[in-house]
Amino acid sequence: MKFRKLGKSDLILSEIGLGTWAIGGGDWGMGWGDQTKSDSKSAIFEALESGVNWIDTAHAYGFGLAEEVVGEVVSEWKDEVIVATKCGVLPQSDLTPRRYISPSSIRDEIEGSLSRLKVDRIDLYQIHWPTPLENLRDSWESMVQLQREGKVRCIGVCNCSINEFNEIGEIDHLVSNQPMYSMLEQTIEDDLLDWSSAHSVGILAYSPMHSGLLTGKVSAAWLNSLPQNDWRKHKVDHPAVKHLHQGQGMSRFLELQDELREIASSNDRNIAQLAVSWVLRKQEITSAIVGARRSGQIYDAIEAVNKPLSREEDTLINQAICKYMSKEND
C-alpha cells in the first residue's frame, strides 16, 4: 500500500480508502440491495488486513447502519484506523434521504455518529452536501466549533464547487473535499483540482468505478438482475446510470467497456484496476474511495496502487472516452 498526506492536515491516508455506501443496506432509498452484517464486517476486516488505513462512511448510509458496523469493526481491530464520516443527509418519514444542513442538525448528527462509531473523536467530519446553500456558512462555523471542542480532528466537505467554497468564507480549517471523480465524470479537472492544490485542500475521490459501471461487469442481464432496492435499478433518471436505461445507451456503453477491457488487458489489468489507477494518476488526489460489501472485492483496487497508469494508457483511455461521449451527445 502507498500513502499520501491529506491537504494541510496531519492525516496520512492509504491511496485506497474503503467506502461503505453499500454496507448501509437497501432500505434507505439510495441503497445497493440487502446486506448482511457478516458480509459487511468481513469486507472491512479484509480491507484493513490489506493495508487500507481509513474508512469512509456517513450517517446517511442506512441512516446509522453503516456507522454501527464500522464502529464494531474498529473497536475490535488492534491497530489505529482513521474514520471519516459525514453529516447533512437526513431521513424523511419514508426513510428516503433529504439533503439538509444547519448548525442545530449538525450538532444532533455528530452525537449520533460518535455513539455509533464508538469513538470520542471523529478523525474527519464532512458536510455531505452543501444544501441549502444559504445555511452553508453558519454550518461551516459549527464544524469549526466542533473541532475546537475536540469532537473532531479535522473537517472537510463533499460535493463542493469553487462557487460553494466562496460561500463558506474562512477556509483555514478546510482539509478536504470529496467529489465524484471517474473516467465518466471528470468535471473536477475543469478548475477544482488546481484550486484545491493552491489552497492545500486534499481530494478524496469517490466512485472511481462510477457506481460499479467501470468494473467490466455491465450488461443488460446484469442491469436486469439488480434487486429492486438497488438504486441503480430504480433511479432510472440518475445521472450516473440513466444512459443505461435509455435508447441506445446500453449498447454504446458496452462498446466503451470492450475498448477499456482491451486497454486494461494489454498491461495485465482488469477494468476496475484501470479505473482506480486512472484516478490516482493525479497527484492532487489524496485517495480513491473504493466500495466493498463482501470479502474478495477490495483486492483488485489494491493491486491498482502498485501499477501506476502509463502515459500510453492515459492517451488511449482519453480517446475511448471522447469517442463514447461524442456518441452520447449526438
Side-chain angles (χ1 to χ4, degrees), residues 242-304:
K242 66 180 182 180
H243 54 289
L244 298 184
H245 294 275
Q246 300 173 355
Q248 299 299 311
M250 177 63 78
S251 61
R252 289 173 177 169
F253 182 81
L254 294 180
E255 292 176 6
L256 171 65
Q257 184 171 257
D258 287 342
E259 289 192 54
L260 294 177
R261 183 174 288 111
E262 183 175 349
I263 295 168
S265 62
S266 67
N267 198 12
D268 195 28
R269 306 178 196 260
N270 57 41
I271 293 176
Q273 292 168 338
L274 188 73
V276 175
S277 294
W278 183 89
V279 167
L280 291 174
R281 83 197 193 288
K282 293 287 188 180
Q283 286 304 305
E284 296 91 340
I285 305 297
T286 303
S287 186
I289 301 170
V290 176
R293 58 190 305 182
R294 60 183 64 90
S295 60
Q297 292 183 329
I298 198 69
Y299 287 126
D300 276 352
I302 291 172
E303 284 298 314

Side-chain angles (χ1 to χ4, degrees), residues 159-166 177 179-181 185-201 203 282 284-285:
N159 302 296
C160 268
S161 67
I162 292 176
N163 288 338
E164 289 157 344
F165 284 130
N166 291 335
N177 185 22
M180 187 176 185
Y181 183 47
E185 177 45 72
Q186 303 183 27
T187 306
I188 68 170
E189 292 188 4
D190 294 342
D191 52 16
L192 192 59
L193 289 185
D194 288 342
W195 185 95
S196 300
S197 179
H199 292 84
S200 298
V201 173
I203 297 288
K282 293 287 188 180
E284 296 91 340
I285 305 297

Side-chain angles (χ1 to χ4, degrees), residues 145-214:
Q145 184 59 35
L146 290 175
Q147 186 179 34
R148 289 173 177 152
E149 294 172 10
K151 292 181 181 291
V152 299
R153 181 175 176 182
C154 299
I155 51 177
V157 294
C158 308
N159 302 296
C160 268
S161 67
I162 292 176
N163 288 338
E164 289 157 344
F165 284 130
N166 291 335
E167 292 295 325
I168 285 176
E170 179 272 310
I171 61 167
D172 289 347
H173 297 267
L174 178 69
V175 303
S176 66
N177 185 22
Q178 188 181 133
M180 187 176 185
Y181 183 47
S182 75
M183 296 178 192
L184 297 173
E185 177 45 72
Q186 303 183 27
T187 306
I188 68 170
E189 292 188 4
D190 294 342
D191 52 16
L192 192 59
L193 289 185
D194 288 342
W195 185 95
S196 300
S197 179
H199 292 84
S200 298
V201 173
I203 297 288
L204 303 173
Y206 76 81
S207 207
M209 297 180 203
H210 207 77
S211 300
L213 272 62
L214 295 174

Side-chain angles (χ1 to χ4, degrees), residues 32-297:
W32 297 63
D34 295 339
Q35 180 73 11
T36 67
K37 180 184 286 190
S38 60
D39 279 345
S40 297
K41 294 183 71 171
S42 293
I44 299 171
F45 276 122
E46 182 176 82
L48 297 176
E49 290 164 356
S50 301
V52 172
N53 77 339
W54 79 282
I55 300 171
D56 179 76
T57 190
H59 173 209
Y61 302 161
F63 294 118
L65 178 58
E67 286 185 327
E68 288 176 359
V69 176
V70 170
E72 288 186 23
V73 172
V74 169
S75 66
E76 296 172 25
W77 186 250
K78 60 183 181 300
D79 296 321
E80 180 185 4
V81 181
I82 296 168
V83 177
T85 193
K86 313 177 191 77
C87 59
V89 178
L90 303 173
Q92 302 187 97
S93 58
D94 61 354
L95 291 184
T96 56
R98 176 175 69 101
R99 297 173 186 173
Y100 182 78
I101 51 170
S102 72
S104 60
S105 65
I106 289 172
R107 281 280 172 184
D108 289 341
E109 284 193 80
I110 193 169
E111 295 304 328
S113 292
L114 287 166
S115 176
R116 289 185 291 269
L117 291 168
K118 303 180 187 297
V119 296
D120 296 321
R121 183 180 68 164
I122 292 168
D123 295 301
L124 176 62
Y125 201 46
Q126 305 156 97
I127 290 177
H128 208 152
W129 290 89
T131 307
L133 190 59
E134 59 266 25
N135 287 2
L136 181 55
R137 183 167 299 214
D138 288 345
S139 295
W140 182 249
E141 290 176 0
S142 292
M143 298 282 283
V144 172
Q145 184 59 35
L146 290 175
Q147 186 179 34
R148 289 173 177 152
E149 294 172 10
K151 292 181 181 291
V152 299
R153 181 175 176 182
C154 299
I155 51 177
V157 294
C158 308
N159 302 296
C160 268
S161 67
I162 292 176
N163 288 338
E164 289 157 344
F165 284 130
N166 291 335
E167 292 295 325
I168 285 176
E170 179 272 310
I171 61 167
D172 289 347
H173 297 267
L174 178 69
V175 303
S176 66
N177 185 22
Q178 188 181 133
M180 187 176 185
Y181 183 47
S182 75
M183 296 178 192
L184 297 173
E185 177 45 72
Q186 303 183 27
T187 306
I188 68 170
E189 292 188 4
D190 294 342
D191 52 16
L192 192 59
L193 289 185
D194 288 342
W195 185 95
S196 300
S197 179
H199 292 84
S200 298
V201 173
I203 297 288
L204 303 173
Y206 76 81
S207 207
M209 297 180 203
H210 207 77
S211 300
L213 272 62
L214 295 174
T215 59
K217 300 177 182 178
V218 174
S219 67
W222 170 83
L223 186 62
N224 290 333
S225 70
L226 295 177
Q228 290 300 322
N229 58 352
D230 187 316
W231 69 270
R232 297 169 296 179
K233 184 71 168 285
H234 63 81
K235 293 282 186 182
V236 297
D237 59 346
H238 192 284
V241 298
K242 66 180 182 180
H243 54 289
L244 298 184
H245 294 275
Q246 300 173 355
Q248 299 299 311
M250 177 63 78
S251 61
R252 289 173 177 169
F253 182 81
L254 294 180
E255 292 176 6
L256 171 65
Q257 184 171 257
D258 287 342
E259 289 192 54
L260 294 177
R261 183 174 288 111
E262 183 175 349
I263 295 168
S265 62
S266 67
N267 198 12
D268 195 28
R269 306 178 196 260
N270 57 41
I271 293 176
Q273 292 168 338
L274 188 73
V276 175
S277 294
W278 183 89
V279 167
L280 291 174
R281 83 197 193 288
K282 293 287 188 180
Q283 286 304 305
E284 296 91 340
I285 305 297
T286 303
S287 186
I289 301 170
V290 176
R293 58 190 305 182
R294 60 183 64 90
S295 60
Q297 292 183 329

